[in-house]
Amino acid sequence: MSEIIPPRVLKGFRDSLPEHEISRKHIQNVLEHTFELYGFVPIDTPVLEYTEVLLGKGGGDTDKQIYRFKDNGGRDIAMRFDLTVPFARFMAGHGAELYLPFKRYHMGKVFRGENTQRGRYREFVQCDFDIVGIDSAAADFEILLLMARCFENLEAPDVGFHTAHRGVFTRFLAKLGAAEHSVEIMRAVDKRSKIGEHEVRTLLADRIGETAADELLAYIRPQATNEATLAMITELAGGEDNETRRLNTILEWSEKLGLSDRVVLDPSITRGLDYYTGIVYETFLRQLPEIGSVCSGGRYNDLASLYTKQHIPGVGSSIGLDRLMAALEELDKLPPAGAGVDVLVLCMEERLIGRYHEIAEHMRGTGIRAEVYPEAKKLAAQFSYAEKRGIPIGIICGAIEAESSVMNLKNLETRTSDDQLSLAEATQKARLILQRRSHQNYNA
RNA sequence: GUGGAUGUAGUUCAGGGGUAGAGCACCAGAUUGUGGAUCUGGCUGUCGCGGGUUCAAAUCCCGUCAUCCACCCCA
């Protein structure tokens, strides 16, 4: 009778199937574990905020493509488009209850009504980590170190952390007499890796003239080593100061901690966001740079000023989980989804299902994830079910075995069977196989 | 948001006005307590959706939705 409603989902929004979701959970677990190793604590904030909180008082004229609407009480509401702005509001509201320096991480969905592309969705998960309440090389470096360890622990291949310094760049622009064009300049500069130096020069020359354009190009061109690049931008910006010295310190510590193969001082990184004031970061997978940065951030020294008179400096970075997953998937480097279940108790006869649950419960009691196949289908069908689920171990117990309280344990990966085991022996054997597997995965 | 490409079986893709196809996958049997081989047989479709032109549309036209690419912005 009734019309069927097409089960469609919105452009830029996606369902996540178990295989995908298991990978995501795995990635999130690795990240959470890493953050906690460095003393970061979790927080959460609402998905919806007052529009004025997200956009500032004059919120109407921004071109941010945000989801915005009126709720049933007539409130002007918007969905968060990142986790940094809500965090600023959070700090302004809760600063007195917290302590400084405060290090938090935050994973959550954010929403942007922009056009879609691969690795670019309207709903996506960001994973932010920030250190607030301190303005120093120590914090800037810790964020960089944590970025490196996150990608290391995710076993992501060939990652490059590109860093630059907004403050030094601003000083350089002032010296160049081009400070008032900084927004357009940064946009042009950001495209260097995409459209090439020649095109950037054309864009810049229109704005600030050919001489200045050439000097700008010189500034954003990375040298053979980070030291040489730093020396070059220091000179072009008018000499050493606290900011260039801090950059130098961060590079030295990076070298000391073994990151110098991945950390690149790259003055063409500017970051479009206007709240950055110090160091900025962008992270690229070197095998897939065109998908864009998978983890970016930087230092912002007056972010919470919209909401409080208190001065709260901070530095942080944000991993784009969905983009990262899209990239790893394309590189075939997504961590294996894993079984979710360790043991399948096969069903030989339905009257024995009580016995099967007894076996499964015993194994669960020792921490083994087990499930019972619920009907006496052909064994081949049960085996192929186990294979699809990636379940590594099967327990086979028919009438004859049940009679004498034994069972056969089959290693579904090697297809070898151990017969006539007691429940305790089978459990022990299963643990052994699982231990060996996880050990292998660890080394692989 | 603007411009372009694409959309056919579970999947990868052919067919470009005249009865919708192939490989793989899947199901059944050979083989009723141990699945990766072989053979035999079989199933699978609102040709993204809606309209139009035509005797006739998967095919041509218009619209729409989605995906991908570029711009823009960024994770």
Side-chain angles (χ1 to χ4, degrees), chain A residues 173-311:
Chain A
L173 285 186
K175 181 168 165 264
L176 207 59
E180 70 273 25
H181 297 294
S182 65
V183 174
E184 297 101 299
I185 289 172
M186 284 193 284
R187 275 188 195 151
V189 161
D190 234 10
K191 292 181 195 153
R192 195 190 84 104
S193 62
K194 209 159 206 176
I195 63 176
E197 229 170 64
H198 191 75
E199 292 293 317
V200 174
R201 185 179 186 280
T202 311
L203 283 175
L204 290 173
D206 283 349
R207 251 327 140 187
I208 56 175
E210 303 219 341
T211 321
D214 283 333
E215 200 164 340
L216 240 160
L217 279 179
Y219 179 91
I220 65 173
R221 198 176 296 135
Q223 305 294 300
T225 65
N226 287 339
E227 290 72 23
T229 306
L230 179 60
M232 182 268 294
I233 63 172
T234 300
E235 191 195 322
L236 287 174
E240 245 184 44
D241 69 353
N242 283 336
E243 293 183 321
T244 61
R245 277 191 287 273
R246 185 189 287 195
L247 215 36
N248 187 47
T249 302
I250 292 166
L251 289 175
E252 278 176 14
W253 290 345
S254 297
E255 176 137 22
K256 193 172 181 60
L257 274 286
L259 308 180
S260 42
D261 56 329
R262 280 158 283 173
V263 172
V264 181
L265 183 57
D266 177 355
S268 72
I269 300 291
T270 63
R271 314 271 315 124
L273 297 174
D274 46 7
Y275 51 69
Y276 290 118
T277 54
I279 191 167
V280 290
Y281 320 97
E282 288 198 358
T283 307
F284 297 97
L285 300 174
R286 287 173 175 155
Q287 293 168 25
L288 199 64
E290 66 272 18
I291 204 158
S293 172
V294 292
C295 174
S296 324
R299 170 161 291 281
Y300 41 86
N301 268 347
D302 46 9
L303 186 70
S305 63
L306 272 176
Y307 318 104
T308 177
K309 286 175 184 160
Q310 199 191 342
H311 177 72

Side-chain angles (χ1 to χ4, degrees), chain A residues 121-137:
Chain A
Y121 313 102
R122 290 185 169 180
E123 176 191 57
F124 56 99
V125 174
Q126 274 196 334
C127 176
D128 273 38
F129 42 103
D130 291 77
I131 302 174
V132 297
I134 182 162
D135 178 6
S136 72

